[in-house]
Amino acid sequence: MRMRSSVIIFFILLSTGTGRAVAQERNIWQANDSARIAEMFGSADVVTRERMNKGLVMNPITALGGQSAGVNVQSGGADRMAMLSSVRVRGTTSLTGGNDPLVIIDGVSADLATLNTIYPADIESFTILKNAAETAKYGSRGASGVILVTTRKGRGGQFQISYDGNVGLESAYKFLPMLSGKEYTSTARLMGLSFNDGGCDTDFQRAITRVGTVQSHHVAFSGGSDKQNYRASLGYMNHYTVIKTNRNENFSAKLDLLQLAFDDKLHIDMGVFGSTQKNFNVPNVQQLCYSAATHNPTFPKGRNAQGKWDLNTTASQIASPMALLLQDNDERSLNFNTHLRLTADVTSGLRFGVFGAYSFNSTELAQFLPTWVAAQGQAYRSEHKSEGWLMNAELDYSHTWSVHSLKVHLLGEYQRNRQTGFWTQVRGFTVNDFGYHNLGAGSLRPYGGTGSRYEVPSLASVMANVSYCLMERYTATITTRADGSSMIGRQNRWGVFPSASLEWDIKREIFMHNLRWLSMLKLRSGYGMSGNLGGIGSYNSLRLVGPSGIVPLSGSPTVTMGIVHNANPDLKWETKSTFNIGADMGFVNNRVVLTAEYYYSKTRDMLYLYDVPVPPYTYDKLLANLGSMSNSGFELGMGFTPVQKQDVELNVNVNLSWQRNKLLSLSGEYNGRRMSAPSIKSIGSLNGAGFHGGNNNVVYQIVGQPLGVFYLPHCTGLKRNPDGSYSYEIEDLDKNGEINLEDGGDRRIAGQATPKMTLGSNISFRFKQFDISMQINGAFGHKIYNGTSLSYMNMASFPDYNVMKEAPKQNIKDQTATDYWLESGDYVNFDYVTVGWNVRVKSRFINSLRFSLSINNLATITAYSGLTPIVNSYIVGSTLGIDDKRSFPVYRSYLLSASIQF
C-alpha cells in the first residue's frame, strides 16, 4: 500500500496517548517491586505487565516494542523467525563499543540473549533507564542504557495454579513479483537469448515456504503466607516458521522463595532459573532469498532424474534454493542462574543487605554445508561457555524529620566472569550422510579453522547515592560510582562516574491547590556520566602472544608464535555525559497525561581502530580512545482516557521520539603522535552478481554527519543506449567533465538510514467482559536503499538470473549504485490486534478464565516499493538501511490464547 509522507504525518497528528510510566499510575503501582524501582530511579520508564505487547510475543524483548519512547526494538524478517531482537536505547553511542543496553534480571547482570530465554509470562515489569543520572548507578556498563527486569514472585495467600497457552498459524502473503516459468521462456525467446529450459514452472519463493505453526504453554504454582511464599513455573514454546526447516524451541523453569525470619527482621530471597533453547536456522539468509527469487523458474522443485540439483552454471552467486534448505545451522544454548539475597533491618531506618549470584551459559553451534552447496562439503562445531560470579553488599539509611527526608544508599560490588570456548572446521567430505556429527569424515583441516579462547575479566565497584527531599516538593539526588576493570590499562584502571538530578513537584505548591483540574505537574532535570566497556576485550591493553603461522622444522610442520596485536596500556573506557530536562503533567485525575523530555549526550574517548606506521608499531592497527559522538532528542508522550466507567473504558496512548546523531571527530593526539581516520568511510555495501570494486558502497560514516548516511552518485533519470536498453544517467556534480564514482568524487549525501522520528501507539477498548487492543508502530524521516530492485531490475543479468516482471518492459541494463533506488522508508505498521473475552465463572476452583484471538503484522502503510520497509534501520553494520536480497516473504500470524487461574 502506498502513501505520501504528508498522509503519514496527518495520521500521527490524529493520535494521542503516552507510554511513560506516569501516564497510567493506577497500573504501574500494582507491583511493589516496580514501585520501589520507580522511586529509586525517578524518571525511569516502568513497563508493567498491563502495558506489555499482546498478540504473538515470541520473547520478552518483543513485548517492549513501541511501549517506551526512545527504545527501538528491531525484530523483523529473519530476526523475528530466529527469535532475535536488537535493542537500542536512544540510538547508537559508539562505533566499536557495545551499543546493546545492560540487562539486569532480578539483580543479576545478563544480556539480551539470556533475557530472551525467559518466558514472557514470568516477567512482572521492565524498568528502562535512559538518562545518565539513572544509568550512572551502573558506571562503566550503563552508557547504552539499562533494562531492569523484575520477574514474578510468590505472594501471600492461598495456593494458586495458573496456565497460559496459545496455538497459532503463520502464513506468507507477500512475495517479490518475479517472472514465472512461462514469462521467463517467452522473454528469453523474444530477446533472442539462449537459456536452459527445464520444462517446469516453479515459484521457488513459495516453494521454500510453508504454513508455520506456533505453540506455547506456561504453568505456574504459587502459595504461602505473608511470612513465607513461593512461586514455581514451567514454560515451553515450539515455533515452526514459514520457511521450511526453520524451527525454534525453548524450555524454561523458574523457582522463587521468600522467607521472613527473626521477627520479620531478616528477609531471605532466593531464586533459581534455567532454560534451554534450540534454533534451527538457515546459515545464509541472503543466499537463500537471492536464490529463491532468481533461480531459473523452469527448473524442477526437486532433484532431477540423476538425483542432483539443476544449476545454472553461469549463475555463480546462487544455488538451488531447495538444496540450500538442506544445510544445517543449529544452535543450542543452556542458561542457569541462581541468586540469594539477605536483607536485615538493623534499626529503624537502617537496612543492610548482601547479595550473591552465580550464572552459567553454554552455547553450541553446529553447521554443515553439503557437497552440492559447498565444494568438498564443510562442517563447523563450536562451544562457548561463560560462568559469572556476582557479590555485593549494600547499606540503606532513611530518615524523615519535620519537612525533611534523607535517603542514603551505599554499595560495594565485585563481579568476575570466566569465558571459554573452542571451535573447529573441517572440509573434504565424500558423503553427506554424517552431517556435522562425524568430523572425522572430513579430510581437510584449514589453518585457522581450529582454535580456543580463555578470558577471566573482573570488575570491582563502589557507589554512594544520596537523595534529599524538602517538603515533599523539592528533591535532589547525587550519585557517584567508581569502577575498576581488569580489561583497562593500568594507568586508567579506575573510572569515576558521577551524576546529579533535581525534581520539583509543582502540584504540591500551595498556589497550585485550587487548580483541581491539574492532578500532576513535575519538572525534572539531571546531568551525569556513564561508561562503555563493550568495545574492549580482556587483552586489548596487553601485549598478546599467539599462533602466527606454520613453518617446516626438521621435516615437520611447526606452529610459530608471535605478537598478534599492538598493546595499548593507555586504553580506557568510553565515557558518555548526558543532560536531560523534562516535565510530567496530568489532568482530570490523570485521565489526560502529557510527558516531555529533551536530552543531549556526548560520547568522549570513543574507541576506534586507527592506522599506525610499521615500525615503530608491530602491526598497522591500534585501538585507541580519540573520537567523539553526540546524540540528542526529544521524547513526547500523551495519554487520553475519554471513557472510564465500570462496564466501558477507552484508552489511547502514543509515544513520539525524535533522535539525532552526529559523528563529531575521529582524530587526536596519542603519545605525541597525531592519529586520524578517514573522514569518509563505507560501512554498508551491495553484493551479488555484477557488483565489483568499491562502486557498490552505499552507506557511510562521515565526520560531521549522522552515523549511517547514504553517500551516492545522483541519477537524473534513465538514458537510452544504442541497443535500445536503458542505463542510469549520472550527474557530474563537480562539473569537471568526468564522472568519478569513487569516494570524494561525484557523490553526495542523499539521506540517512536511521529514522528521525519513531512512533508507538496503543489503543484499547473494553466493554463489560470483552476487550480489544491494537498496537501501531512507525518510523519516519529515513531512507532505504532498494538494492533488491537494483539487482532484479537489471536485464543484463538475464537469463542467468531471473528478474522482476517489470524488468523486460523497462529494459534497464545497468547495475550502478546511484540514488535512483533510494526510497523513503516511512511506514506505519499495525503490529497486532487482539480481541479478548474474560469469561464470567462461578466456580469454587476457577478464579478467572480468559480467551483471546490475535492477528500479528496486520498491515503496513508505506510508500516503499520493496517487500517491507521494516529492515535494519537502527543497528550500525553492513546491513544498515539496505534492502539487498535478504528479505523473507512477508507473513502474518494468527493466534488463539487461553489463560486460566485456579
Side-chain angles (χ1 to χ4, degrees):
M1 214 182 306
R2 292 181 176 241
M3 179 185 69
R4 293 184 180 273
S5 299
S6 58
V7 179
I8 297 178
I9 301 301
F10 177 70
F11 172 86
I12 296 172
L13 295 176
L14 289 177
S15 302
T16 57
T18 187
R20 297 272 319 173
V22 295
Q24 302 292 342
E25 288 186 318
R26 59 185 177 278
N27 291 332
I28 292 171
W29 307 117
Q30 289 178 358
N32 293 331
D33 288 341
S34 300
R36 179 181 60 82
I37 292 173
E39 179 182 0
M40 182 184 299
F41 291 102
S43 62
D45 195 351
V46 181
V47 179
T48 59
R49 295 180 61 215
E50 290 76 13
R51 280 181 53 197
M52 295 179 196
N53 288 331
K54 309 301 186 293
L56 180 60
V57 178
M58 299 304 300
N59 56 62
I61 289 297
T62 57
L64 272 178
Q67 296 300 317
S68 179
V71 179
N72 303 119
V73 178
Q74 185 77 37
S75 182
D79 287 344
R80 180 181 164 199
M81 290 185 186
M83 295 180 61
L84 300 175
S85 297
S86 301
V87 182
R88 289 293 179 266
V89 177
R90 289 182 172 173
T92 297
T93 60
S94 173
L95 286 179
T96 58
N99 284 292
D100 286 341
L102 173 66
V103 178
I104 306 291
I105 304 174
D106 290 336
V108 182
S109 299
D111 54 19
L112 294 175
T114 302
L115 175 57
N116 280 341
T117 65
I118 299 178
Y119 199 88
D122 280 330
I123 293 180
E124 183 70 37
S125 66
F126 295 94
T127 303
I128 302 168
L129 311 181
K130 296 179 282 189
N131 296 318
E134 303 158 357
T135 61
K137 295 178 174 65
Y138 295 92
S140 61
R141 301 171 295 163
S144 298
V146 180
I147 299 178
L148 305 180
V149 182
T150 302
T151 62
R152 300 181 67 181
K153 307 293 193 302
R155 294 180 180 171
Q158 63 182 2
F159 175 72
Q160 291 182 340
I161 301 177
S162 64
Y163 167 79
D164 297 280
N166 57 62
V167 292
L169 301 175
E170 295 181 335
S171 177
Y173 68 91
K174 187 178 181 182
F175 301 84
L176 289 169
M178 310 300 291
L179 293 180
S180 66
K182 293 181 180 179
E183 294 167 336
Y184 176 89
T185 57
S186 62
T187 301
R189 291 190 180 103
L190 184 64
M191 298 179 66
L193 300 174
S194 60
F195 64 97
N196 294 324
D197 189 353
C200 298
D201 192 347
T202 306
D203 186 341
F204 284 103
Q205 291 186 91
R206 296 182 184 274
I208 66 172
T209 66
R210 65 186 172 192
V211 175
T213 61
V214 61
Q215 62 170 316
S216 65
H217 308 277
H218 180 267
V219 180
F221 311 85
S222 63
S225 64
D226 293 337
K227 296 183 180 295
Q228 57 183 14
N229 57 65
Y230 67 91
R231 184 178 186 273
S233 66
L234 297 173
Y236 174 76
M237 189 280 300
N238 197 328
H239 183 201
Y240 287 82
T241 74
V242 296
I243 299 298
K244 294 177 179 178
T245 72
N246 270 26
R247 180 169 68 90
N248 308 297
E249 188 177 27
N250 188 18
F251 176 80
S252 64
K254 191 173 183 294
L255 173 65
D256 289 283
L257 303 173
L258 177 64
Q259 176 72 54
L260 301 183
F262 304 113
D263 296 329
D264 300 344
K265 297 294 185 181
L266 178 64
H267 299 243
I268 304 173
D269 177 11
M270 186 182 75
V272 179
F273 169 76
S275 70
T276 62
Q277 190 174 57
K278 300 177 182 179
N279 299 319
F280 305 92
N281 301 313
V282 175
N284 190 326
V285 172
Q286 186 183 47
Q287 185 185 31
L288 177 63
C289 295
Y290 191 11
S291 299
T294 62
H295 198 52
N296 189 327
T298 69
F299 284 178
K301 182 169 64 174
R303 300 175 190 259
N304 55 30
Q306 291 75 37
K308 299 181 179 180
W309 304 95
D310 287 332
L311 292 175
N312 263 353
T313 56
T314 54
S316 60
Q317 299 292 319
I318 63 174
S320 169
M322 309 310 293
L324 294 176
L325 289 177
L326 298 179
Q327 300 175 105
D328 292 320
N329 184 40
D330 305 339
E331 183 180 73
R332 295 173 174 86
S333 62
L334 171 67
N335 298 279
F336 170 82
N337 68 65
T338 182
H339 71 269
L340 175 65
R341 185 189 300 273
L342 304 176
T343 306
D345 295 325
V346 182
T347 63
S348 177
L350 183 63
R351 174 175 290 186
F352 175 74
V354 292
F355 179 81
Y358 170 79
S359 61
F360 173 82
N361 301 280
S362 175
T363 300
E364 297 181 36
L365 178 62
Q367 294 179 335
F368 181 71
L369 308 183
T371 54
W372 55 73
V373 174
Q376 298 181 319
Q378 177 178 303
Y380 175 86
R381 296 291 298 267
S382 70
E383 183 177 14
H384 296 270
K385 297 179 180 180
S386 173
E387 286 184 285
W389 295 266
L390 174 67
M391 297 163 286
N392 68 44
E394 54 187 349
L395 187 67
D396 289 281
Y397 172 77
S398 62
H399 180 59
T400 301
W401 70 101
S402 182
V403 295
H404 310 279
S405 177
L406 178 67
K407 296 181 180 180
V408 179
H409 177 70
L410 303 177
L411 172 74
E413 185 174 82
Y414 178 75
Q415 184 173 356
R416 183 172 181 264
N417 290 283
R418 180 177 179 268
Q419 303 167 6
T420 62
F422 76 89
W423 56 93
T424 186
Q425 182 185 79
V426 297
R427 295 176 181 172
F429 289 87
T430 56
V431 295
N432 297 310
D433 302 293
F434 295 113
Y436 54 70
H437 297 291
N438 188 350
L439 299 184
S443 60
L444 302 176
R445 307 288 191 273
Y447 176 76
T450 299
S452 60
R453 59 186 287 263
Y454 177 83
E455 299 179 25
V456 190
S458 59
L459 182 72
S461 309
V462 292
M463 186 191 73
N465 172 263
V466 179
S467 178
Y468 169 74
C469 182
L470 175 65
M471 302 172 63
E472 297 183 340
R473 304 174 194 172
Y474 318 103
T475 303
T477 303
I478 297 176
T479 301
T480 299
R481 176 165 178 143
D483 282 346
S485 172
S486 63
M487 297 190 294
I488 304 298
R490 289 185 178 275
Q491 301 178 19
N492 302 297
R493 184 141 294 177
W494 283 88
V496 179
F497 306 95
S499 71
S501 64
L502 299 171
E503 183 176 294
W504 178 20
D505 193 342
I506 305 175
K507 175 58 181 174
R508 292 183 177 271
E509 296 289 354
I510 298 177
F511 59 83
M512 301 293 289
H513 286 179
N514 293 330
L515 300 179
R516 300 186 181 275
W517 51 270
L518 183 65
S519 50
M520 177 177 60
L521 180 59
K522 295 181 180 180
L523 183 65
R524 48 188 163 75
S525 182
Y527 176 84
M529 300 174 66
S530 54
N532 190 342
L533 276 173
I536 303 177
S538 297
Y539 308 115
N540 282 134
S541 64
L542 305 175
R543 182 168 295 178
L544 187 64
V545 176
S548 59
I550 297 179
V551 297
L553 181 63
S554 301
S556 300
T558 302
V559 176
T560 60
M561 306 295 288
I563 299 173
V564 296
H565 69 230
N566 290 321
N568 185 352
D570 298 318
L571 206 62
K572 53 187 176 182
W573 31 57
E574 300 176 343
T575 302
K576 188 183 78 169
S577 58
T578 303
F579 167 78
N580 69 282
I581 184 169
D584 304 319
M585 293 166 279
F587 309 91
V588 195
N589 294 323
N590 283 347
R591 291 181 63 175
V592 178
V593 176
L594 174 68
T595 70
E597 182 166 277
Y598 168 81
Y599 67 90
Y600 176 85
S601 68
K602 184 176 182 180
T603 303
R604 296 177 174 86
D605 298 325
M606 192 167 61
L607 290 164
Y608 197 71
L609 201 59
Y610 290 90
D611 294 324
V612 292
V614 179
Y617 293 96
T618 306
Y619 288 91
D620 61 351
K621 300 290 183 182
L622 178 70
L623 184 67
N625 302 87
L626 292 176
S628 61
M629 180 188 297
S630 68
N631 284 271
S632 61
F634 180 72
E635 298 168 354
L636 179 65
M638 295 170 287
F640 184 42
T641 307
V643 180
Q644 189 177 33
K645 298 181 179 180
Q646 181 177 355
D647 292 334
V648 181
E649 184 173 354
L650 174 64
N651 291 284
V652 183
N653 303 296
V654 160
N655 291 310
L656 296 174
S657 177
W658 289 263
Q659 296 181 10
R660 177 170 175 78
N661 165 278
K662 188 176 182 179
L663 180 59
L664 299 176
S665 172
L666 286 177
S667 302
E669 295 286 335
Y670 174 75
N671 288 341
R673 183 186 299 273
R674 179 72 178 177
M675 291 202 303
S676 61
S679 59
I680 301 176
K681 181 181 178 181
S682 170
I683 58 176
S685 59
L686 307 172
N687 56 44
F691 291 111
H692 54 82
N695 296 338
N696 55 333
N697 297 329
V698 292
V699 179
Y700 286 75
Q701 67 177 38
I702 299 178
V703 175
Q705 297 291 331
L707 189 58
V709 294
F710 294 100
Y711 183 56
L712 297 163
H714 175 52
C715 177
T716 59
L718 297 176
K719 63 179 180 180
R720 186 179 179 88
N721 300 319
D723 63 355
S725 64
Y726 291 87
S727 59
Y728 302 110
E729 183 78 45
I730 299 176
E731 182 179 358
D732 182 9
L733 295 176
D734 55 12
K735 308 300 181 184
N736 65 353
E738 297 181 359
I739 300 298
N740 181 10
L741 300 182
E742 297 178 353
D743 296 348
D746 292 311
R747 288 176 176 257
R748 67 171 188 174
I749 297 173
Q752 66 182 62
T754 54
K756 296 179 180 178
M757 186 183 75
T758 57
L759 159 74
S761 175
N762 184 272
I763 303 172
S764 62
F765 175 76
R766 177 182 59 83
F767 177 72
K768 294 186 177 180
Q769 68 267 37
F770 300 95
D771 59 79
I772 182 172
S773 62
M774 180 170 61
Q775 179 69 30
I776 304 171
N777 298 323
F780 314 94
H782 65 297
K783 294 186 178 182
I784 299 173
Y785 196 87
N786 194 343
T788 301
S789 291
L790 174 64
S791 293
Y792 296 171
M793 291 293 291
N794 178 26
M795 289 299 295
S797 63
F798 182 83
D800 297 335
Y801 299 84
N802 197 12
V803 293
M804 288 182 169
K805 292 182 181 295
E806 289 294 318
K809 180 180 178 180
Q810 294 198 24
N811 199 21
I812 300 173
K813 291 187 177 180
D814 191 358
Q815 201 164 268
T816 305
T818 70
D819 60 4
Y820 183 88
W821 290 107
L822 185 64
E823 305 181 40
S824 169
D826 295 355
Y827 70 87
V828 172
N829 182 58
F830 295 86
D831 190 45
Y832 70 82
V833 59
T834 297
V835 179
W837 175 30
N838 296 299
V839 183
R840 293 177 179 176
V841 293
K842 296 180 180 180
S843 172
R844 293 176 51 194
F845 305 105
I846 301 177
N847 293 330
S848 64
L849 177 63
R850 173 180 170 83
F851 297 100
S852 63
L853 176 65
S854 301
I855 303 177
N856 279 63
N857 201 20
L858 190 63
T860 302
I861 303 174
T862 183
Y864 181 63
S865 66
L867 266 181
T868 174
I870 306 177
V871 299
N872 176 22
S873 298
Y874 302 103
I875 311 304
V876 176
S878 60
T879 65
L880 178 65
I882 304 175
D883 177 7
D884 186 23
K885 305 180 285 292
R886 60 173 56 88
S887 293
F888 280 138
V890 183
Y891 60 98
R892 190 174 287 126
S893 305
Y894 307 87
L895 196 72
L896 179 63
S897 304
S899 178
I900 184 170
Q901 182 170 310
F902 300 93

